[in-house]
Every structure is written in structure tokens, then in C-alpha cells.
Amino acid sequence: MASHRHLARMIVAQAIFAIEFRKENKGMILDYLLDEFGEKVGEKEFPKKLLEGVLKHKRKIGKEIVAAAPEWPLDRISKLDRAILEIGIYELMYEDDIPPLVTINEAVELAKEIGNDNSHKFVNGVLSTVMHKYCPNKTK
């Protein structure tokens, strides 16, 4: 059984993916996904905070992806993998109440569920690099 936060992250990844194609009505996209798939999401503010945070810091997060995976330009990373990375990097950089290893584990599980066969390895590698940069004392 998936946790409430895992489901919320899944919905936020889908929202980020949808926003890539429909730039307008970002809040409406998340509201629609929460209405359709989020009945088991207990904390409705958690996915809203995640999406707002990712969108607010998207440029900086993109730079971190490029720095951690320089051989992969952003436009060559699948949109779903990029959405998962954006959520994970946002959490590592800006959410002190979520343990870094929990963030990485959640992102890897999302990548296994909605990514391709190698997504989870790529996500794990990129987020581990970012974790060591931003959370060096929290890796134990």
C-alpha cells in the first residue's frame, strides 16, 4: 500500500508532466488530478506545496540536474524522469523535514512505477549527487 505522500508525489509528477504541454492553469491541473486520483491523499497541502516549490525553483533545479548529469542535456531527459528529479531535488534543497534518504527512495520508487527500465538508476544517481552536495551531514 502506497503512503499518502507517495501518492501525492505521483500526482505532482503527473501535474509537472502535464504542465510541460499546457502552461496555463497550473493550479487547475493539480486540482483536477487531486480530484480524480487523490482521494487517499490525506494532506492536500503537501502536493500543492511541492508543485509550487518545484515551479518557483524550476530554473535552479534544472541547473542542478545539468550539474549532476552533465552528459544528459535537459531536453534529452524524459519528461517524466525530469519531473521526478525536480520533485526530489526540490525536497533535498528546500524541505528540511524530509530525510534525504526518504526523498531518494520515494523518487526511485516513482521512477520504477512510471519511468522506463533504467529510470530508477538514473534518478538514484542524480539525486545521490545532489544529496551529497546539499545534505552532506544528513546521509547517515
Side-chain angles (χ1 to χ4, degrees):
M1 181 169 126
S3 74
H4 296 291
R5 285 193 164 194
H6 182 76
L7 292 172
R9 287 179 180 96
M10 175 76 76
I11 289 168
V12 172
Q14 293 170 350
I16 293 168
F17 179 81
I19 289 167
E20 287 282 326
F21 300 100
R22 298 183 56 106
K23 304 264 187 240
E24 74 282 347
N25 300 324
K26 296 170 186 169
M28 286 178 49
I29 290 171
L30 181 62
D31 290 341
Y32 170 78
L33 290 168
L34 284 170
D35 286 345
E36 287 294 313
F37 307 107
E39 72 181 40
K40 293 183 181 178
V41 175
E43 319 168 53
K44 300 291 188 198
E45 289 307 308
F46 178 71
K48 291 177 183 180
K49 181 180 178 186
L50 272 184
L51 181 61
E52 288 171 9
V54 167
L55 296 176
K56 178 179 178 182
H57 300 287
K58 194 167 184 75
R59 175 172 267 175
K60 183 162 177 50
I61 291 168
K63 289 179 182 178
E64 292 301 326
I65 294 170
V66 170
E71 65 283 358
W72 284 93
L74 284 177
D75 62 346
R76 285 195 52 220
I77 300 171
S78 80
K79 290 180 181 3
L80 280 174
D81 288 353
R82 197 168 61 231
I84 294 166
L85 287 171
E86 289 171 345
I87 293 166
I89 292 172
Y90 168 77
E91 287 185 12
L92 289 171
M93 291 174 65
Y94 300 104
E95 291 295 325
D96 293 331
D97 64 325
I98 302 171
L101 295 177
V102 170
T103 292
I104 292 175
N105 184 57
E106 284 290 321
V108 167
E109 289 303 314
L110 278 177
K112 286 178 181 177
E113 291 174 39
I114 62 175
N116 65 41
D117 290 341
N118 293 314
S119 293
H120 67 284
K121 295 174 190 173
F122 180 68
V123 166
N124 186 48
V126 172
L127 292 182
S128 292
T129 299
V130 174
M131 176 184 71
H132 288 294
K133 180 177 178 181
Y134 285 94
C135 313
N137 299 323
K138 295 184 180 181
T139 59
K140 297 174 181 143

